[in-house]
Amino acid sequence: MASDIVAQLADSLAKTGVEDGELSYKGQGRKLDDSQSVEDMVKEIQDFEGLQALRLEGNTVGVEAAQAIAKALETKSELKRCYWSDMFTGRLRSEIPPALNSLGDAVMMAGARLTVLDLSDNAFGPDGVKGIEKLLKSTACFTLQELRLNNCGMGIGGGKILAASLTQCHKKSSAEGTPLSLKVFVAGRNRLENDGATALAQSFQLMGSLEEVHMPQNGINHPGVTALATAMQQNPGLRILNLNDNTFTEKGAIAMAQALKHLHSIQVINFGDCLVRSAGAKAIAETVSEGLPILKELNLSYGEITEDAALAVAQAVKDKAQLEKLELNGNYLGEDGCKAVKELMESMNLGDLLGSLSDDEGEPEEDEDEDDDDDDDDDDDDDDDEDDEEEEVDEDEIEEEEDEEEEESSDAKLSTPVSAPRPPDVSSFLSFPSPDKLLKLGAKRALLVQEQVDVTDATKTAEAFLKIASVYKEENNDVKNAVLDTIDALLNKAFAAPSFQGSFVSALLVLLGLIKSEDKVKPVIMVPGHLYALEHVVRQDYFPKENVAVLEAFMSRSNKVLESCGNAKNSLQSTLQRVRSQS
């Protein structure tokens, strides 16, 4: 009998993940729509004495369910860690702010003092940031040490709101003698761009307590990078700096190299795919050779670095006793350059620490490491940039290097150069889609695709949608997010034209073979990714709700191709029914 009781207790603990004051519902895939659906959860929260951590990630929480959970949290004054990432899958964006407001209000009412707040992978946009604005400014966050907002689609507007909230929190907490001392900040894949990054940099400079900063894939160019570099100098305890897949160019790289001179605790530097170029790499190498005694990882891959700069970087890590990895892949070393770098690393007994060079771009046929004439032009663009001009500015930035080459050619400075590998070839992806090609388009992939596709033509837009969606992978978050971000940018622009709204769905149904066309259009081969992507689209504000019933009618038909998509079809049908009932 006693063994049975122990077994039952062990099973109960395994289900809820209770450990050291933690109550966990992580990854249980629960669909929590209303108060009835969370009755058991609410009781468990209420009965949990000394609750310090609540894990809700991997479930989907509606407004009413969030309000019920919040009610149970109103007495949990010992709560410190909120792991609330990926908990709004399948929800309308308009549902997220009130749900977050309810949970935040409860935390404040309880008098809790948080140390960890994780809301990553919720794609709530600027409005979602408004949903946590009050919480971030409150006493509940005076003690915050980790703030994780990865892949939330904040944009420039959300970045500015977040920065203002953190600044206000620091101001109020300092007045009470306990200044906000944030240690970990994570906000990758948020389209913060220069203005959002600059606003956050001001907050970082005030705090001066950061140990980890992760802001990859945010479309940040040299003005934003320079602002971050200035801020990082005021955070001497910084250990990890990850700005992968932003666009430094020489100016940003040199500014960051100067900042690194003040960061003696730095262990991991990830400037991969940041276009640091040779001059920037040499500046970073100089900083590394002169200091950074406990450096463990240095990533300068895909930066248009030539052989001489790569050798300078390799030489710079010679005396780094704790070095574990050096990444220089995807640069302009050439066969001889790759050999020289490998030989140098081996001569210093560091050969095993050098990453693969299999994606080297070969020697450049023209000087790829000249000063960026276009950078000065960017300063004016970025200073005048407003939120409603984000797309126009980004397109200019994407094309900046091509413009530079054309200007230099017209001035007879250089012969026509061989086209650089940036920006990546969008037409190649659209002709032969693959997950790898999509990811290699980088942080600006959405704008690149948006510019390539004629969004005034419903058929061409539908074709592009299906090609992008065909590479969707439910199990791979990077690919999944890249697909959905790109589709959102494409369709948000397309649906802005009233004449487009009905014609897109018709074109889509024809291409999927669900409607016969007089033009004898050959249907695409339907894959689950098409339906998963469509499920995401119908939940977005830009999608006309009057088209939901049309899609639902076709998805409910008996069709072998649809049935072959299994769970994707069922999930889409369920979402269509819910969206229609809420309209």
Side-chain angles (χ1 to χ4, degrees):
M1 180 66 71
S3 61
D4 290 341
I5 295 174
V6 171
Q8 290 173 9
L9 179 58
D11 182 59
S12 176
L13 290 172
K15 287 180 179 178
T16 57
V18 178
E19 183 179 353
D20 295 329
E22 178 180 290
L23 182 56
S24 176
Y25 301 95
K26 180 180 179 179
Q28 295 184 6
R30 298 192 189 190
K31 186 181 177 185
L32 308 172
D33 293 327
D34 49 33
S35 57
Q36 287 76 26
S37 64
V38 292
E39 281 183 352
D40 292 344
M41 185 182 292
V42 166
K43 188 175 188 309
E44 288 170 348
I45 293 172
Q46 290 172 335
D47 294 345
F48 197 111
E49 295 294 331
L51 180 66
Q52 295 184 30
L54 179 62
R55 308 195 78 112
L56 296 175
E57 65 263 56
N59 299 285
T60 175
V61 184
V63 176
E64 188 180 332
Q67 291 170 342
I69 294 170
K71 189 69 176 174
L73 290 175
E74 289 178 356
T75 59
K76 302 301 174 180
S77 60
E78 295 180 50
L79 184 66
K80 291 181 174 62
R81 304 184 301 279
C82 299
Y83 301 101
W84 296 345
S85 63
D86 188 23
M87 66 175 199
F88 295 113
T89 300
R91 300 293 168 184
L92 296 174
R93 184 167 288 185
S94 59
E95 293 181 80
I96 302 176
L100 290 174
N101 268 317
S102 297
L103 293 167
D105 287 347
V107 172
M108 290 185 285
M109 183 177 293
R113 293 298 182 105
L114 299 183
T115 57
V116 178
L117 178 59
D118 186 354
L119 290 165
S120 299
D121 299 317
N122 279 315
F124 47 47
D127 289 341
V129 185
K130 292 178 182 177
I132 58 171
E133 184 178 9
K134 187 164 56 171
L135 173 63
L136 289 174
K137 293 178 180 179
S138 74
T139 56
C141 287
F142 284 7
T143 50
L144 197 62
Q145 295 181 12
E146 296 184 22
L147 179 58
R148 300 177 182 272
L149 296 167
N150 200 58
N151 190 34
C152 288
M154 291 189 288
I156 293 173
K160 288 182 175 180
I161 296 169
L162 176 61
S165 300
L166 291 174
T167 299
Q168 184 69 10
C169 183
H170 184 269
K171 181 180 178 180
K172 291 167 66 177
S173 58
S174 296
E176 293 193 7
T178 55
L180 172 65
S181 298
L182 194 66
K183 293 181 179 178
V184 178
F185 180 82
V186 182
R189 297 182 54 80
N190 271 292
R191 301 178 187 171
L192 295 170
E193 302 184 30
N194 291 329
D195 286 356
T198 300
L200 285 165
Q202 293 171 353
S203 298
F204 297 162
Q205 195 163 344
L206 276 177
M207 290 185 287
S209 55
L210 288 167
E211 296 179 5
E212 294 185 26
V213 174
H214 303 264
M215 297 175 66
Q217 296 186 356
N218 269 298
I220 307 170
N221 295 312
H222 79 78
V225 172
T226 301
L228 287 171
T230 301
M232 293 306 107
Q233 294 183 38
Q234 305 304 317
N235 288 265
L238 192 69
R239 295 182 296 103
I240 299 174
L241 181 57
N242 176 7
L243 295 175
N244 188 283
D245 203 1
N246 291 290
T247 308
F248 283 33
T249 65
E250 180 180 317
K251 287 186 178 180
I254 290 174
M256 197 57 75
Q258 291 299 314
L260 290 171
K261 292 181 178 181
H262 300 266
L263 304 177
H264 305 297
S265 298
I266 198 79
Q267 296 178 5
V268 178
I269 300 171
N270 187 343
F271 296 161
D273 203 14
C274 284
L275 198 66
V276 298
R277 292 186 172 152
S278 293
K282 288 177 181 178
I284 292 169
E286 181 181 345
T287 297
V288 171
S289 64
E290 293 176 353
L292 314 191
I294 58 173
L295 184 66
K296 291 183 177 180
E297 296 182 21
L298 176 60
N299 186 345
L300 296 178
S301 57
Y302 302 94
E304 292 191 359
I305 300 170
T306 52
E307 178 185 350
D308 60 333
L311 288 169
V313 172
Q315 185 67 44
V317 301
K318 178 181 180 180
D319 297 320
K320 306 305 167 190
Q322 297 188 34
L323 188 72
E324 297 174 359
K325 185 184 297 183
L326 173 63
E327 293 286 357
L328 291 170
N329 203 10
N331 284 301
Y332 287 165
L333 308 187
E335 185 176 345
D336 290 342
C338 288
K339 183 178 178 182
V341 170
K342 289 178 181 177
E343 288 178 349
L344 176 58
M345 290 293 286
E346 288 170 0
S347 72
M348 299 184 295
N349 294 319
L350 300 175
D352 292 342
L353 307 185
L354 178 65
S356 170
L357 298 176
S358 60
D359 288 343
D360 187 74
E361 296 285 349
E363 295 181 27
E365 295 188 24
E366 297 290 343
D367 187 359
E368 299 288 346
D369 199 29
E370 294 201 353
D371 290 342
D372 301 3
D373 295 337
D374 52 310
D375 283 351
D376 293 329
D377 296 334
D378 279 349
D379 285 339
D380 295 333
D381 288 341
D382 289 313
D383 289 341
D384 297 333
D385 185 23
E386 299 294 338
D387 286 359
D388 60 354
E389 295 174 349
E390 288 176 41
E391 295 176 357
E392 180 181 345
V393 172
D394 265 355
E395 289 166 4
D396 290 341
E397 291 166 353
I398 291 163
E399 295 175 346
E400 62 188 16
E401 290 182 35
E402 294 178 3
D403 293 342
E404 174 191 349
E405 292 172 352
E406 291 172 6
E407 290 168 9
E408 292 180 345
S409 179
S410 64
D411 291 339
K413 293 180 182 177
L414 293 172
S415 60
T416 303
V418 175
S419 56
R422 300 172 65 97
D425 189 0
V426 182
S427 60
S428 172
F429 166 71
L430 291 174
S431 299
F432 304 99
S434 74
D436 187 56
K437 284 183 182 178
L438 183 63
L439 291 177
K440 284 185 176 179
L441 288 175
K444 296 185 178 71
R445 64 178 68 86
L447 290 167
L448 287 166
V449 171
Q450 188 186 75
E451 184 178 341
Q452 182 81 12
V453 177
D454 179 6
V455 295
T456 63
D457 187 315
T459 299
K460 290 180 179 178
T461 306
E463 288 174 346
F465 165 81
L466 292 172
K467 287 177 178 179
I468 299 164
S470 68
V471 305
Y472 180 99
K473 290 183 178 294
E474 181 68 20
E475 70 281 3
N476 187 320
N477 279 335
D478 286 342
V479 174
K480 174 181 174 180
N481 292 328
V483 167
L484 299 183
D485 286 350
T486 306
I487 284 172
D488 279 344
L490 180 69
L491 296 187
N492 198 26
K493 185 175 181 180
F495 278 116
S499 59
F500 180 90
Q501 299 187 2
S503 54
F504 172 77
V505 172
S506 299
L508 189 63
L509 292 172
V510 168
L511 290 168
L512 288 172
L514 300 177
I515 294 179
K516 290 184 178 180
S517 169
E518 295 179 359
D519 298 329
K520 297 182 179 179
V521 175
K522 184 178 180 180
V524 302
I525 298 174
M526 192 185 302
V527 295
H530 292 146
L531 303 187
Y532 280 125
L534 193 55
E535 180 190 2
H536 168 81
V537 166
V538 300
R539 297 198 307 266
Q540 306 311 306
D541 293 339
Y542 60 71
F543 188 78
K545 296 302 178 276
E546 58 268 24
N547 289 334
V548 170
V550 176
L551 283 174
E552 187 179 3
F554 278 94
M555 291 301 136
S556 62
R557 293 181 178 180
S558 177
N559 182 291
K560 289 184 179 178
V561 179
L562 280 173
E563 295 301 331
S564 70
C565 292
N567 291 337
K569 180 207 173 191
N570 297 334
S571 184
L572 174 57
Q573 279 186 297
S574 175
T575 297
L576 286 167
Q577 291 170 2
R578 183 169 63 254
V579 172
R580 182 170 55 81
S581 67
Q582 292 174 343
S583 347

